[in-house]
Amino acid sequence: MDFFEISSKYVNSLTKGERGLFDYVIKHMDEIKNKSIREVSAACFVSTTTFLRFVRKIGYTGYSEFTTVLKFTVKAKPKNTQASFVVDQKKYREEYLKNMIESVRVMESKKIELICHELAKKSRIVFFAKGISKQVATYAKYIYTVSGFEVLFPEDHLYRQTALVNLKEDDLIFVITYTGDDVELIKIVEKIKAKKDNQHRIISITGADNNPIQNLSDINLYIFTDEIERNSVDITSRVSSIVLMELILYQYFEGHKDIKKRK
């Protein structure tokens, strides 16, 4: 039993309020699994009736079944990042693929449509990323540039600070950070939002856990991945982030038939 396999097929039918409940469940799954419906409803600022209606809408007969599935899902998620490669290779490959599938399944169609709408009217895309996520931004810069967009990706601290000062009023901002808690990136987003003439749309790609960048963004997409650290260096896969950036671009192509695709 897996929460995402059961629930993700219902995501596109959720209302805005229900989508907020779905996001809350994903971010607080480990806490919710041991709480009563009264406690969870209070934390979400909805009635128990509303939360129970939501639970049934995403595929469960009741709250008990819902929490049981959460427990199995949390238990199945690898927690020892150092030992991730010790498990059977077939099992790890399945988890690797499952993470990408889950990342795509929880993408809300309305969010992607809104991002594509922004792409259609923005003159420039600006990426902010650090660490291993810079490789995602580098690849995204390439595919968006060859697709006809003007793209800026400041790769070091001084370049990022300069870019921040010289943002154009119609720039579309992407912040790519798995943890979502990098101090410099948080300050960058805060400064952008504090601009008096701020018209920027800030889109973030982060992990599913609640984090500052996610909360500061206008639109947040999140990924699932198994955290891996070797020799004190983060090598957690960012493939799901690349997948989301590709899907956004391909969705944009689909909505703009005049764009010639290479065969």
Side-chain angles (χ1 to χ4, degrees):
M1 292 187 290
D2 181 86
F3 173 79
F4 299 101
E5 290 179 4
I6 296 172
S7 307
S8 297
K9 67 186 76 161
Y10 302 101
V11 170
N12 288 333
S13 67
L14 299 180
T15 64
K16 183 178 179 181
E18 291 167 342
R19 178 63 199 215
L21 294 177
F22 187 78
D23 287 347
Y24 182 86
V25 170
I26 289 176
K27 297 168 192 173
H28 302 87
M29 194 176 295
D30 193 40
E31 304 166 28
I32 292 173
K33 72 181 194 298
N34 294 315
K35 288 187 175 182
S36 69
I37 190 171
R38 288 178 180 274
E39 293 174 309
V40 178
S41 300
C44 295
F45 301 102
V46 297
S47 67
T48 54
T49 302
T50 297
F51 196 83
L52 182 58
R53 188 184 304 118
F54 157 74
V55 165
R56 289 173 174 165
K57 190 170 182 178
I58 59 174
Y60 303 93
T61 57
Y63 187 76
S64 179
E65 182 187 19
F66 169 72
T67 54
T68 298
V69 172
L70 289 186
K71 289 174 183 176
F72 275 98
T73 303
V74 171
K75 184 177 180 180
K77 193 74 173 176
K79 294 183 178 180
N80 189 336
T81 60
Q82 287 287 0
S84 293
F85 287 115
V86 178
V87 300
D88 178 75
Q89 285 190 354
K90 181 179 179 181
K91 182 178 179 182
Y92 187 80
R93 287 197 298 269
E94 290 172 352
E95 289 298 321
Y96 183 83
L97 291 173
K98 184 187 293 185
N99 283 329
M100 284 190 286
I101 292 169
E102 289 172 357
S103 298
V104 173
R105 278 180 175 173
V106 299
M107 290 178 73
E108 188 175 359
S109 297
K110 291 181 180 179
K111 286 185 179 180
I112 304 306
E113 291 171 5
L114 181 56
I115 294 172
C116 289
H117 177 72
E118 294 294 323
L119 285 172
K121 67 180 184 180
K122 299 297 182 182
S123 64
R124 186 173 68 167
I125 300 169
V126 181
F127 289 106
F128 287 105
K130 293 178 65 179
I132 196 170
S133 292
K134 289 170 66 174
Q135 308 310 315
V136 178
T138 297
Y139 173 70
K141 177 183 178 181
Y142 173 76
I143 62 173
Y144 279 76
T145 298
V146 298
S147 298
F149 292 96
E150 180 184 355
V151 183
L152 175 66
F153 172 39
E155 296 190 38
D156 58 46
H157 174 73
L158 291 178
Y159 192 5
R160 284 190 289 271
Q161 297 309 307
T162 301
L164 179 61
V165 173
N166 294 292
L167 287 177
K168 299 178 181 179
E169 65 177 16
D170 57 352
D171 284 340
L172 180 61
I173 313 295
F174 280 88
V175 183
I176 306 174
T177 166
Y178 173 65
T179 62
D181 61 3
D182 182 87
V183 175
E184 181 189 353
L185 294 180
I186 292 172
K187 288 182 178 179
I188 285 174
V189 175
E190 288 176 338
K191 288 179 179 179
I192 293 173
K193 295 182 74 70
K195 289 176 175 287
K196 291 182 179 180
D197 58 345
N198 176 38
Q199 298 182 31
H200 304 293
R201 179 79 70 173
I202 301 174
I203 303 162
S204 64
I205 297 179
T206 70
D209 293 333
N210 191 31
N211 61 77
I213 293 292
Q214 180 186 88
N215 295 327
L216 286 167
S217 304
D218 297 306
I219 301 173
N220 174 253
L221 304 175
Y222 41 81
I223 67 167
F224 298 91
T225 186
D226 294 325
E227 297 179 10
I228 300 171
E229 184 177 293
R230 307 299 287 182
N231 300 320
S232 300
V233 177
D234 174 30
I235 58 170
T236 298
S237 174
R238 299 301 198 272
V239 170
S240 294
S241 296
I242 290 175
V243 170
L244 297 194
M245 290 306 307
E246 288 181 334
L247 288 176
I248 290 169
L249 183 61
Y250 301 156
Q251 181 68 43
Y252 176 80
F253 287 160
E254 184 65 25
H256 296 75
K257 299 293 187 179
D258 56 313
I259 297 176
K260 296 181 179 178
K261 302 177 184 177
R262 291 187 178 183
K263 295 183 178 180

